[in-house]
Amino acid sequence: MTNLNQKMNTVLTALNERLAERSELLRDMAVALLTGSNLFILGQNGQAKSAAVRLFADCLKDSRFFAYQFNNETDEEKLFGRLDRSSLIPGGVASDVLESDQAYVQMRDALKALYEDYKKVPTQETLLQMSQQRKVLAEMRSVLASLYGSTPSLLTRGKIPEADIVMLDELFKANGGVLHSLLTALNERLYANEGRELQLPTISFFGASNEMPNPYDPEERKYLPLLDRFDLKVKTEYIQDRGQRLALLGKKETDEYNAPLKTQLTMDELGKMQKEVKMVTVSKELDMVMDGVMYAMRAAGYPISDRKFLGYHRIVKAYAWLDGRQTADKTDLLKLINYLWMEPSDIPGIKEILEAHCLDRTDIEVGKLREQYLASYHAFQNDRANGCTVEGIIKLRRELVEAYKAAVLLKDEAHGAEQAKITNLLEEMEEKNRIAHEGTTLTHLPLSELALLNDL
């Protein structure tokens, strides 16, 4: 693990402390920045989608950030800047030409200095110097107009053409007038206007919406190519764990929560991280596994293009690098779920395909049992928040015992490392059982004893 890898993971840890249950989103945001990819976030209002992007952008202390929330009246000027009309007037010269010419800027600054002197002590001598300097400045402007006049120029300050990280909220409210420019910007990092083509410096575009475009609606179908330009897609939920909700509520009241993160990255460091990610290796064996995943997805009716398959290397390399490894493995393929789905309803099926190709039977069964007991635990936490404790803990006990018995049976059939995985699962369940009994009138009993009582 390199120093840069440790630093990125330190930042992710700090961000996770500011945002409850957003580790998956933050991890994939890091992957997007490490690979120059785009990421789309699907989630209801109030799920900290924009906050997560802003916090991450704040960690890149010398990055330029642009955010915009779409509405039906959004035009290209609001996103990419407007045409500098002075660049088209005969004898005129574009503002960016003037600002980029060092000689002109020095002459203008000299005139400003003379003016400040005159305001303090108005003398005839200073007035004469200002007049002479003004003539020199006007002559220089005329020279620049002769060289660069009548060339269309865009005023892009504070817009996408000058942003390293871009956040586009309410993405599917963009009107048809800006869609073509957005598609080119997302895919090619280019923007064209008045015959001029600008190379965009943007590392990653982050989009967000609380709804998906309907592929069967002719009006909404126009957004499908836009959605396809986002390499990664993450679906967020409201905070499920009651303890994390309450902990976050307490943190928001402190000055430390609103203070800048202590560990920050520079754009130079991010560039070096990107180079390290590219050096991670992907074996031919892993390519064969991924080819099997693609074949199984197509057989099941899930759309996966050749472009998706051929581009998977850079994503798994970033996952491996974040884990401190120089070679990608099957555990990295399991994380590709957010790279592969197009519709949220596809997620469970694609997850099963990935697990079938990347996990052995024990891993799959442990994963199912973990999801089962966590669903029961989160449901109990929500019931307790609504004042229902005794009935809720009895229901949770019954469901935890059911998962516990299944885990014990699985452990009896397992060997070596497989048993260790199941032991870890049982310890997790036992810890949740203990926490759930805190603050209730029922005495905490280990799951092994509850299982015996249940059998009596």
Side-chain angles (χ1 to χ4, degrees):
M1 183 178 291
T2 67
N3 291 334
L4 289 172
N5 175 279
Q6 291 175 338
K7 194 167 186 180
M8 175 61 85
N9 279 288
T10 299
V11 167
L12 289 174
T13 299
L15 288 170
N16 273 307
E17 291 175 356
R18 296 281 179 100
L19 299 165
E21 297 181 7
R22 291 293 175 265
S23 58
E24 181 184 36
L25 172 59
L26 292 168
R27 179 202 66 193
D28 282 356
M29 285 171 57
V31 169
L33 289 168
L34 289 167
T35 59
S37 303
N38 304 320
L39 182 146
F40 171 74
I41 311 169
L42 175 66
Q44 295 302 310
N45 296 331
Q47 292 183 354
K49 302 186 296 294
S50 296
V53 177
R54 287 182 179 276
L55 277 172
F56 215 131
D58 287 343
C59 291
L60 289 164
K61 60 183 179 182
D62 52 350
S63 66
R64 297 166 296 175
F65 180 66
F66 174 81
Y68 189 84
Q69 183 171 318
F70 282 99
N71 56 59
N72 293 330
E73 297 179 359
T74 300
D75 56 25
E76 289 189 28
E77 286 189 1
K78 292 183 174 66
L79 300 175
F80 298 99
R82 64 177 178 82
L83 185 66
D84 186 352
R85 294 176 179 83
S86 63
S87 65
L88 301 179
I89 299 172
V93 59
S95 301
D96 61 344
V97 172
L98 296 176
E99 293 298 326
S100 62
D101 189 273
Q102 188 175 1
Y104 179 84
V105 171
Q106 289 175 345
M107 292 176 182
R108 185 192 61 192
D109 291 344
L111 180 58
K112 284 182 179 179
L114 287 170
Y115 177 65
E116 293 298 326
D117 291 341
Y118 184 78
K119 285 196 300 183
K120 296 174 183 176
V121 183
T123 64
Q124 190 66 28
E125 180 183 358
T126 306
L127 190 61
L128 179 61
Q129 288 176 336
M130 278 196 296
S131 177
Q132 293 172 338
Q133 186 64 24
R134 182 183 62 81
K135 291 177 182 178
V136 173
L137 189 65
E139 187 63 31
M140 175 59 76
R141 187 185 184 100
S142 178
V143 169
L144 293 173
S146 298
L147 293 172
Y148 306 106
S150 301
T151 300
S153 179
L154 298 174
L155 297 172
T156 58
R157 183 171 299 175
K159 305 295 183 180
I160 290 177
E162 297 186 8
D164 301 304
I165 300 172
V166 173
M167 173 65 187
L168 303 174
D169 204 359
E170 301 291 350
L171 188 66
F172 303 124
K173 290 183 180 178
N175 59 54
V178 300
L179 280 181
H180 179 72
S181 294
L182 275 176
L183 289 172
T184 306
L186 287 163
N187 196 47
E188 303 173 43
R189 300 296 193 264
L190 289 175
Y191 174 64
N193 190 308
E194 294 292 334
R196 290 198 62 193
E197 202 172 68
L198 299 179
Q199 186 71 45
L200 304 179
T202 309
I203 301 169
S204 296
F205 285 86
F206 296 94
S209 177
N210 57 15
E211 58 187 357
M212 295 284 285
N214 183 352
Y216 304 105
D217 185 326
E219 181 61 27
E220 295 187 23
R221 194 178 299 144
K222 65 186 179 185
Y223 295 117
L224 295 181
L226 183 62
L227 182 63
D228 189 55
R229 296 302 193 275
F230 288 90
D231 313 89
L232 295 158
K233 302 173 186 69
V234 180
K235 189 174 184 296
T236 60
E237 303 288 350
Y238 289 115
I239 301 171
Q240 301 294 306
D241 189 275
R242 179 174 181 263
Q244 291 201 45
R245 277 200 306 273
L246 294 176
L248 184 59
L249 182 64
K251 289 178 184 178
K252 288 178 72 71
E253 302 299 320
T254 66
D255 293 335
E256 185 178 351
Y257 178 84
N258 297 308
L261 293 180
K262 295 177 181 178
T263 302
Q264 293 190 322
L265 306 172
T266 66
M267 293 295 290
D268 181 62
E269 287 175 325
L270 179 61
K272 292 176 180 176
M273 291 175 182
Q274 292 172 336
K275 290 179 181 178
E276 287 189 2
V277 168
K278 290 179 180 178
M279 297 300 292
V280 174
T281 58
V282 180
S283 67
K284 298 298 182 184
E285 290 76 14
L286 199 65
D287 286 341
M288 291 297 294
V289 175
M290 186 59 192
D291 190 73
V293 169
M294 181 186 69
Y295 182 85
M297 284 182 61
R298 287 176 175 173
Y302 298 112
I304 174 171
S305 65
D306 288 342
R307 177 163 57 88
K308 273 285 184 183
F309 173 72
L310 295 173
Y312 96 94
H313 270 200
R314 59 194 174 91
I315 305 299
V316 295
K317 283 182 177 184
Y319 286 136
W321 183 86
L322 284 171
D323 284 348
R325 288 179 281 106
Q326 291 298 312
T327 302
D329 60 30
K330 288 182 180 181
T331 62
D332 302 310
L333 291 187
L334 288 169
K335 301 165 190 169
L336 284 179
I337 185 68
N338 290 334
Y339 177 70
L340 296 173
W341 69 266
M342 284 298 293
E343 291 285 338
S345 58
D346 297 343
I347 294 175
I350 295 175
K351 183 179 179 182
E352 284 187 11
I353 290 173
L354 286 169
E355 289 179 346
H357 284 76
C358 302
L359 296 177
D360 57 27
R361 176 179 174 272
T362 300
D363 289 324
I364 295 172
E365 294 301 324
V366 165
K368 289 179 179 178
L369 288 173
R370 180 173 283 113
E371 287 186 4
Q372 177 183 330
Y373 93 76
L374 284 177
S376 300
Y377 177 75
H378 289 144
F380 165 73
Q381 291 284 49
N382 287 327
D383 287 343
R384 182 157 67 176
N386 294 324
C388 180
T389 55
V390 176
E391 295 87 348
I393 193 66
I394 291 174
K395 180 174 181 289
L396 177 64
R397 274 184 169 185
R398 183 170 61 250
E399 292 173 351
L400 282 178
V401 165
E402 181 181 342
Y404 171 83
K405 287 181 175 180
V408 169
L409 287 175
L410 187 64
K411 186 177 180 180
D412 290 341
E413 300 173 3
H415 303 280
E418 294 180 347
Q419 282 195 332
K421 295 176 185 177
I422 303 167
T423 298
N424 290 337
L425 174 67
L426 291 168
E427 290 174 353
E428 291 174 21
M429 293 168 60
E430 195 61 71
E431 178 65 8
K432 286 291 189 290
N433 176 46
R434 183 190 63 76
I435 295 172
H437 279 79
E438 293 177 354
T440 70
T441 56
L442 295 183
T443 302
H444 165 250
L445 293 175
L447 290 174
S448 56
E449 294 184 24
L450 289 174
L452 288 173
L453 291 173
N454 190 60
D455 291 336
L456 294 177

